[in-house]
């Protein structure tokens, strides 16, 4: 997990077998495991950068800053999610309806 343009998670970058291997390595390391929200059950929704600023100038500065930060990727992957958009926030919510998902049951 990191400051990625589209907020993609490890579940988008690795196969399910690779995810299980990564979890095993992390949990058996000599350090305290650091899990990001939903990582313990293989969350698939992205975690996109979002804000809820009230100052229009600050919103504009954040939008421009994000665009500048990822300008190289914009030519390759399309536009990035608007940090002030409610849709960006809603896209980033954890999906708690995973009881029937066999892959997530194996991850937990």
């Amino acid at each position: 997990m990191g400051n990625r343009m589209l907020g993609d998670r490890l579940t988008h970058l690795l196969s399910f077998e690779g995810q299980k291997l990564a979890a095993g390595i992390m949990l058996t390391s000599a350090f305290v495991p650091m899990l990001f929200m939903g990582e313990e059950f293989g969350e698939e929704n992205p975690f996109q950068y979002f804000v809820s600023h009230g100052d229009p100038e600050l919103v504009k500065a954040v939008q421009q800053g994000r665009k500048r930060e990822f300008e190289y990727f914009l030519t390759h992957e399309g536009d990035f999610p608007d940090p002030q958009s409610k849709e960006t926030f809603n896209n980033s919510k954890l999906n708690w309806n995973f009881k029937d998902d066999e892959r997530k049951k194996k991850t937990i």
Side-chain angles (χ1 to χ4, degrees):
M1 197 70 215
N3 186 17
R4 302 178 64 83
M5 184 176 86
L6 299 177
D8 44 347
R9 294 176 178 263
L10 200 56
T11 54
H12 296 117
L13 304 173
L14 295 177
S15 68
F16 182 61
E17 296 303 316
Q19 292 172 45
K20 291 192 302 186
L21 180 61
I25 290 170
M26 179 185 62
L27 293 173
T28 59
S29 74
F31 304 99
V32 175
M34 304 275 300
L35 296 171
F36 188 75
M37 300 179 302
E39 193 174 358
E40 67 275 16
F41 55 82
E43 177 61 56
E44 294 178 359
N45 287 342
F47 187 80
Q48 300 170 331
Y49 180 81
F50 58 86
V51 296
S52 60
H53 299 312
D55 180 359
E57 290 299 315
L58 181 56
V59 170
K60 184 177 178 182
V62 169
Q63 290 168 331
Q64 290 173 344
R66 293 289 290 175
K67 190 170 191 171
R68 200 170 33 253
E69 181 177 358
F70 294 109
E71 65 186 347
Y72 170 78
F73 299 100
L74 292 176
T75 60
H76 300 284
E77 296 182 25
D79 208 7
F80 66 94
D82 179 10
Q84 185 72 15
S85 167
K86 285 186 181 182
E87 182 179 355
T88 301
F89 171 75
N90 288 329
N91 288 343
S92 300
K93 288 185 177 181
L94 294 176
N95 178 7
W96 293 103
N97 300 320
F98 57 86
K99 284 183 175 179
D100 298 326
D101 189 333
E102 290 302 316
R103 288 178 47 178
K104 289 186 179 181
K105 283 182 182 179
K106 290 178 183 177
T107 306
I108 297 175

